[in-house]
Amino acid sequence: MGQEDHRRVAIPPPQPFVKSLKNTLKETFFPDDPLRQFKNQPPRRKFILALQYLFPIIEWGPKYSLKFFKSDLIAGITIASLAIPQGISYAKLANLPPILGLYSSFVPPLIYAVFGSSKDLAVGTVAVGSLLTASMLGNVVNANENPKLYLHLAFTATFFTGLFEAALGIFRLGFIVDFLSHATIVGFMGGAATVVSLQQLKGILGLDHFTSATDVVSVMRSVFSQRHKWRWESTVLGSGFLFYLLLSRYFSKKKPKLFWISAMAPLTSIVLGSLLVYLTHAEKHGIQVIGYLRKGINPLSIMDLEFGSAYLTTAIKTGIVTGLIALAEGIAVGRSFAMYKNYNIDGNKEMIAFGMMNIAGSCTSCYLTSGPFSRSAVNFNAGCKTAVSNIVMAIAVMITLLFLTPLFHYTPLVVLSSIIIAAMLGLIDYEAAIHLWHIDKFDFLVCMSAYIGVVFTNIEIGLIMAVGISLLRVLLFVARPRTLVLGNIPGSEIYRNVDQYPNTNNVPGVLVLEIDAPIYFANASYLRERISRWIDDKEDRLKSSGETSLQYVILDMSAVGNIDTSGIGMLEEIKKILDRRELKLALANPGAEVMKKMNKSKFIEKIGQEWIFLTVEEAVGACNFMLHTYKPKTATDESVMNSNNV
């Protein structure tokens, strides 16, 4: 078949700029097409659908049954038993009054139950967010010297966390969170968990003064420089409860039906620890206790937001960083459990829900909340059916706030340290790190960079290092795309990578190259040099073997989804280089966007429509036809001609 007989590659019809822009924006911000459900619906139905979209509880609420309530009641009470001790512990970790941990487990879960789309997420404070809050705010305000200002800045940071999260959801910018890759999160969470655990040595050893730095060197220096102040009573008590907590988790993992043993262990530890201190008066022998906790539900804190403070910039920065981490963890956890139960959650709706609960929380004496894995896992294992389990948990916390807070007076701080360490050890996912090493060494490098950065510098630098390396990898993918030599698989019309399929046949006189990425300004120069190098290597091999000299270069553009003006310029330069070397350039399977831009730039006229093919097979067939029609030169002939010219 002659080259003039092949089927032409179509140039797509021109589209108005407005329509093209609309399609681009839709694919960027509305890939899930959330407005599809409103099509061809009467106004009243559209209004109801809009309410259901904004408030998912309106959708599933009318279908709620007593059977569901029984499951949610058990799950809610179970997670409340975990939320109460965790809330108190994490508030201490954030250098905030312990009562704030209970406040943050009351209002935010109620807000999430209205706005959230996950059935399994259990809302509450998170250890990493608490440590980040303490680290970032503690750099500018000392919580012990100026507790009131520190508290107000924590509320202000939480407000900006909510504002940031809600804005991401409303403006459909959830893809920003995707820059925190799985490897980044594994390393960051593992590093943060290590740092949090080391910080708890203050409580385990019964130390009064401790470094506010989070890096391992500063922490260990603080520990060993105060050896003479270690209290054996505190160490024995803390080690005993830590052993109990880890043992209960071990049994729960071995027998998943006994999940409640691990879930109840923190509250049991607090009860036993409080009884032990009360009966033995251990607080008089160096065992530090929580002390007085105020009764009553959340007081309003809207007037405590420090919008006019000199530290507003720090509060905003803290809010954005902690909000980003909280979103990454909460959405990842929500999606994981949704996958198990075979339903979908809307990431942008989740961001709005997280934002609303943090905004409401900042006005009601709460600090940063998200969907922590440990609490959500207990909720899932307890058999929750809907977000009503969060409402049950909130009611249980409310009862605690109204009537039971005096019971926590004798709770030893060392027990809270044991609870935090036990929870943190579960976040150090060494199995995931080993898996990354086996699958992708670069991902492992990202993971370890995050871990080392957090552990040996501080949390912010560790996070920046991990995100920076992840972005560098994205830039390398764009700036250094793969180019592959293709060969024919024997007995077929299929062309594949010769490195992957070593038994492929070379086509005499033809070099087939595949470009495996869009062509942009960032990679155009590299591709020009790489294609030239492939051509040089091919010609050198042909000369050494005396085979038919290279006559045609075919670029398979199946994977080139788009091209810009720099990319068009690169193709024009490649054509000029080949023309000087008396080689012909052919293109195979360019996409619609590529054809449109090549047509507008007149490149199709320069190369000739007859040299653009639908498939690699057609391109090779046309080149073979030309080679057999006109006697090809061999590499030996060329050498002879060159010597005669000399």
Side-chain angles (χ1 to χ4, degrees), residues 299-615:
L300 290 177
S301 57
I302 189 168
M303 301 306 295
D304 296 333
L305 301 179
E306 295 278 350
F307 295 127
S309 170
Y311 304 110
L312 180 61
T313 304
T314 301
I316 294 173
K317 186 174 76 170
T318 304
I320 291 174
V321 173
T322 55
L324 198 62
I325 297 300
L327 275 182
E329 180 180 3
I331 292 176
V333 169
R335 283 177 175 165
S336 299
F337 290 119
M339 183 179 66
Y340 281 121
K341 288 190 177 179
N342 198 28
Y343 70 93
N344 295 316
I345 64 170
D346 185 328
N348 288 292
K349 283 166 73 174
E350 286 295 283
M351 290 178 189
I352 294 172
F354 281 23
M356 296 306 295
M357 74 185 188
N358 277 305
I359 290 172
S362 68
C363 299
T364 52
S365 299
C366 305
Y367 78 105
L368 176 76
T369 49
S370 181
F373 176 78
S374 57
R375 209 174 296 185
S376 300
V378 169
N379 195 31
F380 176 83
N381 289 326
C384 69
K385 299 297 182 184
T386 67
V388 169
S389 60
N390 276 292
I391 298 174
V392 173
M393 176 186 70
I395 292 171
V397 172
M398 180 189 72
I399 293 169
T400 302
L401 285 167
L402 289 173
F403 306 108
L404 305 178
T405 50
L407 299 179
F408 294 99
H409 183 282
Y410 290 100
T411 300
L413 296 183
V414 67
V415 171
L416 300 184
S417 296
S418 301
I419 291 170
I420 292 174
I421 292 174
M424 290 303 96
L425 291 177
L427 292 179
I428 303 175
D429 197 349
Y430 63 89
E431 291 180 353
I434 294 170
H435 182 70
L436 290 173
W437 169 258
H438 289 307
I439 302 299
D440 191 322
K441 301 296 189 290
F442 199 100
D443 266 353
F444 179 78
L445 174 64
V446 171
C447 174
M448 293 312 297
S449 298
Y451 183 86
I452 292 169
V454 170
V455 171
F456 288 97
T457 55
N458 60 48
I459 288 181
E460 300 99 287
I461 290 177
L463 183 61
I464 291 169
M465 283 176 59
V467 173
I469 293 175
S470 296
L471 289 176
L472 177 63
R473 187 178 196 186
V474 172
L475 293 174
L476 285 174
F477 277 138
V478 173
R480 295 293 183 267
R482 292 188 308 161
T483 54
L484 312 170
V485 177
L486 304 184
N488 176 241
I489 293 181
S492 75
E493 298 174 345
I494 299 170
Y495 289 80
R496 289 292 183 267
N497 179 10
V498 296
D499 291 328
Q500 185 178 0
Y501 299 92
N503 64 331
T504 54
N505 296 325
N506 291 321
V507 183
V510 180
L511 173 63
V512 185
L513 296 174
E514 178 185 356
I515 300 174
D516 202 19
I519 305 174
Y520 295 124
F521 66 92
N523 59 28
S525 296
Y526 167 77
L527 286 172
R528 181 188 64 244
E529 299 299 331
R530 191 68 186 93
I531 291 169
S532 298
R533 192 146 49 94
W534 279 123
I535 295 169
D536 292 338
D537 291 346
K538 180 74 172 179
E539 288 189 325
D540 289 343
R541 283 198 302 272
L542 291 175
K543 283 179 183 177
S544 64
S545 63
E547 297 176 29
T548 302
S549 64
L550 186 62
Q551 300 289 314
Y552 300 96
V553 176
I554 300 170
L555 297 183
D556 179 9
M557 304 184 73
S558 305
V560 182
N562 211 329
I563 193 169
D564 67 358
T565 52
S566 298
I568 298 289
M570 183 274 291
L571 292 178
E572 291 175 346
E573 289 180 43
I574 289 292
K575 185 181 184 308
K576 288 177 184 176
I577 292 169
L578 295 181
D579 287 345
R580 285 197 297 269
R581 300 169 79 158
E582 297 184 355
L583 303 176
K584 286 297 287 184
L585 174 65
L587 305 180
N589 195 26
E593 281 296 314
V594 176
M595 283 298 290
K596 187 195 304 180
K597 291 179 182 177
M598 288 197 305
N599 182 53
K600 288 181 178 179
S601 65
K602 308 297 183 185
F603 180 73
I604 291 179
E605 293 178 14
K606 294 174 184 175
I607 191 176
Q609 176 81 47
E610 69 275 11
W611 290 102
I612 303 177
F613 301 86
L614 278 171
T615 64

Side-chain angles (χ1 to χ4, degrees), residues 93-95 127-139 150 188 190-201 210-223 450-463:
L93 186 61
N95 290 331
V128 176
S130 300
L131 184 66
L132 264 173
T133 300
S135 174
M136 297 182 75
L137 294 182
N139 287 335
Y150 183 87
F188 177 78
T194 302
V195 167
V196 170
S197 298
L198 291 174
Q199 283 278 339
Q200 300 318 301
L201 291 175
F210 206 70
T211 179
S212 58
T214 57
D215 64 284
V216 64
V217 176
S218 298
V219 170
M220 298 315 293
R221 185 186 295 123
S222 184
V223 167
Y451 183 86
I452 292 169
V454 170
V455 171
F456 288 97
T457 55
N458 60 48
I459 288 181
E460 300 99 287
I461 290 177
L463 183 61

Side-chain angles (χ1 to χ4, degrees), residues 62-293:
K63 307 171 191 173
Y64 198 72
S65 65
L66 182 62
K67 182 181 178 183
F68 279 8
F69 179 69
K70 289 178 181 177
S71 300
D72 287 336
L73 180 65
I74 295 170
I77 293 172
T78 306
I79 55 175
S81 68
L82 180 63
I84 292 167
Q86 272 192 353
I88 295 171
S89 304
Y90 293 165
K92 290 289 291 180
L93 186 61
N95 290 331
L96 293 167
I99 194 69
L100 257 69
L102 296 182
Y103 290 162
S104 301
S105 297
F106 173 45
V107 172
L110 295 175
I111 303 296
Y112 181 82
V114 175
F115 288 95
S117 57
S118 173
K119 300 174 183 177
D120 302 283
L121 208 66
V123 170
T125 54
V126 284
V128 176
S130 300
L131 184 66
L132 264 173
T133 300
S135 174
M136 297 182 75
L137 294 182
N139 287 335
V140 295
V141 177
N142 189 302
N144 295 320
E145 295 174 3
N146 202 340
K148 186 176 180 181
L149 176 60
Y150 183 87
L151 178 63
H152 291 180
L153 286 178
F155 294 150
T156 310
T158 303
F159 176 82
F160 283 107
T161 292
L163 211 59
F164 173 67
E165 291 174 335
L168 287 183
I170 291 169
F171 294 108
R172 314 286 293 181
L173 298 173
F175 60 85
I176 292 175
V177 179
D178 295 335
F179 283 104
L180 291 173
S181 65
H182 173 66
T184 304
I185 293 173
V186 168
F188 177 78
M189 297 298 276
T194 302
V195 167
V196 170
S197 298
L198 291 174
Q199 283 278 339
Q200 300 318 301
L201 291 175
K202 175 186 177 183
I204 295 291
L205 298 173
L207 300 174
D208 295 318
H209 302 288
F210 206 70
T211 179
S212 58
T214 57
D215 64 284
V216 64
V217 176
S218 298
V219 170
M220 298 315 293
R221 185 186 295 123
S222 184
V223 167
F224 287 104
S225 64
Q226 301 184 72
R227 288 192 300 272
H228 58 287
K229 295 181 181 178
W230 293 1
R231 294 192 176 102
W232 68 266
E233 301 95 339
S234 184
T235 304
V236 169
L237 190 62
S239 301
F241 278 109
L242 180 59
F243 177 75
Y244 164 65
L245 289 163
L246 294 177
L247 190 66
S248 65
R249 179 188 293 171
Y250 173 79
F251 278 118
S252 294
K253 279 189 175 180
K254 284 291 183 182
K255 295 185 179 294
K257 289 184 178 179
L258 300 177
F259 71 90
W260 55 271
I261 295 177
S262 179
M264 297 292 289
L267 188 60
T268 308
S269 299
I270 282 186
V271 172
L272 292 175
S274 300
L275 281 172
L276 187 63
V277 169
Y278 177 75
L279 294 173
T280 61
H281 301 289
E283 77 276 13
K284 297 177 182 178
H285 302 282
I287 299 295
Q288 300 171 4
V289 296
I290 288 178
Y292 172 73
L293 285 182

